[in-house]
Amino acid sequence: MEKYIRFDWAMKRLLRNKANFGVLEGLLTTLLEEKVTIRSLLESEGNQEDEFDKYNRVDILAENSKGELVLIEVQNNNEYAYFQRMLFGTSKLVTEYINRGEGYHKVRKVYSVNIVYFSLGHGKDFVYHGKTEFVGIHEGDVLELTPFQKQTFKVDRVSQLYPEYYILKVNDFDRVAKTPLEEWIYYLNTGSVPENATAPGLNQVKEHLKLDRMSKDELMAYYRHLDNIVILRDNIFTERAEGRAEGRAEGRAEGRAEGRAEGRAEGRAEEKIAIARNLKSLGIGLKDIVKATGLTEEEIGKL
């Protein structure tokens, strides 16, 4: 199965180009279950060029054809207060995109789409949707809009006026992709597009996000990014493992630590070898491969 550029790298480097809006539109159309057209991209934290942010997280802020705001964020690093971060991000958008003195009817709808590559919270599903509803304490009924409010705001439910949150826990996806949303999750998890995929936007992924479309320099930077991701996830695993090891016998803990260290070193070595093989197959020079992977010329020559 052909490999494609990881979604977070594409967001940083490719999907800000209007010609590639179809990829984002396809993801949002599939997730929100309604046709989404992106009008423009707005300023967001994803424009930062901090070295850590390049592989830890990236975001895009889009405005759709309805004037609604859609914040798409990819997060690679474990963050225990990520739920509060989601709240802060949407609250900030609500207040930033209304002019002083305007009426509250000018508050804009915000969608927060969070693609997380770590274990966020505790649950059995891999896609979660959050929205605001007001439920009667005594009667259990959901508070509804009046006919005048529905006509004025052009929505049917109170929840449509408030920010909505989507969490895609892509690492938890371990099944055959049968629906358009599952096809998207599969791509986000593996970097591959399922055969005969029908989800909106995945045809654009096949067309625009192929690895062989990247220049030599772009490809080397991309593989360094993948290496950083491996190290980052390894650090997360190590932190969890060390936390579980607290309180156990010191001798056994040291033994496990040594085993983890050996396993991490072996995993990173295998990752570098895989990257070197890919670069070599694309005809990239030996010295460039040495710089990109840290392997010796002799090691690369044996591949």
Side-chain angles (χ1 to χ4, degrees):
M1 188 175 291
E2 190 163 7
K3 285 284 187 179
Y4 300 91
I5 300 168
R6 266 179 60 105
F7 191 71
D8 56 346
W9 183 267
M11 282 177 59
K12 194 76 175 176
R13 302 295 182 94
L14 301 172
L15 300 186
R16 299 173 189 279
N17 185 331
K18 192 169 185 178
N20 297 329
F21 279 6
V23 175
L24 293 175
E25 290 172 344
L27 170 61
L28 296 175
T29 294
T30 303
L31 189 61
L32 275 57
E33 298 184 325
E34 63 176 81
K35 175 64 178 175
V36 175
T37 302
I38 294 176
R39 178 187 297 167
S40 62
L41 298 185
L42 307 173
E43 288 296 317
S44 69
E45 293 182 19
N47 293 327
Q48 297 175 4
E49 289 297 329
D50 179 79
E51 183 65 28
F52 182 69
D53 277 348
K54 284 182 181 179
Y55 59 86
N56 174 48
R57 68 178 177 85
V58 62
D59 63 61
I60 279 182
L61 177 59
E63 180 184 41
N64 67 17
S65 57
K66 297 179 182 180
E68 300 168 330
L69 302 175
V70 184
L71 178 62
I72 307 172
E73 179 164 324
V74 176
Q75 176 82 3
N76 286 300
N77 191 30
N78 189 17
E79 188 169 338
Y80 78 96
Y82 192 80
F83 288 115
Q84 293 92 322
R85 178 193 176 124
M86 290 164 49
L87 173 61
F88 177 80
T90 56
S91 302
K92 188 176 180 183
L93 290 179
V94 168
T95 56
E96 282 186 350
Y97 284 89
I98 185 171
N99 296 321
R100 180 172 295 181
E102 284 187 323
Y104 294 125
H105 64 284
K106 292 287 188 178
V107 170
R108 298 171 74 171
K109 173 75 175 187
V110 176
Y111 291 96
S112 174
V113 179
N114 302 271
I115 303 168
V116 298
Y117 287 89
F118 65 96
S119 182
L120 177 61
H122 180 70
K124 298 179 181 179
D125 212 322
F126 52 90
V127 178
Y128 289 87
H129 177 211
K131 59 184 180 181
T132 299
E133 288 185 334
F134 297 92
V135 180
I137 292 177
H138 300 97
E139 301 296 333
D141 62 318
V142 176
L143 187 62
E144 298 181 355
L145 297 170
T146 66
F148 174 75
Q149 288 172 319
K150 290 181 180 180
Q151 182 179 3
T152 302
F153 303 134
K154 296 180 174 56
V155 295
D156 297 319
R157 298 179 298 277
V158 174
S159 61
Q160 292 174 280
L161 299 173
Y162 284 82
E164 293 187 41
Y165 301 88
Y166 290 87
I167 298 174
L168 283 59
K169 300 177 62 175
V170 294
N171 283 354
D172 292 345
F173 184 75
D174 60 355
R175 63 181 71 176
V176 176
K178 296 181 179 179
T179 68
L181 181 55
E182 289 178 348
E183 291 172 353
W184 260 104
I185 301 296
Y186 182 87
Y187 161 63
L188 295 173
N189 185 13
T190 66
S192 299
V193 177
E195 295 183 11
N196 304 316
T198 61
L202 289 183
N203 280 336
Q204 285 85 343
V205 169
K206 291 181 179 180
E207 182 179 354
H208 299 294
L209 303 187
K210 288 183 178 179
L211 284 177
D212 59 14
R213 291 173 61 95
M214 302 175 76
S215 69
K216 182 188 297 185
D217 290 341
E218 289 172 336
L219 198 59
M220 289 177 63
Y222 176 65
Y223 280 122
R224 284 197 298 270
H225 169 78
L226 293 185
D227 201 25
N228 285 331
I229 293 296
V230 171
I231 294 171
L232 179 65
R233 292 186 184 175
D234 181 67
N235 289 339
I236 294 172
F237 172 80
T238 302
E239 290 172 2
R240 291 176 184 165
E242 289 176 350
R244 288 193 297 267
E246 287 182 3
R248 297 178 181 176
E250 184 176 344
R252 287 186 299 168
E254 289 179 357
R256 284 193 296 273
E258 290 175 3
R260 286 195 299 271
E262 291 175 2
R264 291 197 300 274
E266 184 178 340
R268 283 196 290 270
E270 291 176 355
E271 180 71 17
K272 288 181 179 180
I273 290 171
I275 291 172
R277 282 202 183 101
N278 283 328
L279 294 174
K280 194 174 181 180
S281 68
L282 293 169
I284 292 176
L286 186 60
K287 291 183 178 179
D288 289 332
I289 299 177
V290 170
K291 291 179 182 178
T293 63
L295 297 175
T296 66
E297 293 186 4
E298 183 181 355
E299 289 172 328
I300 296 169
K302 293 178 181 178
L303 300 179

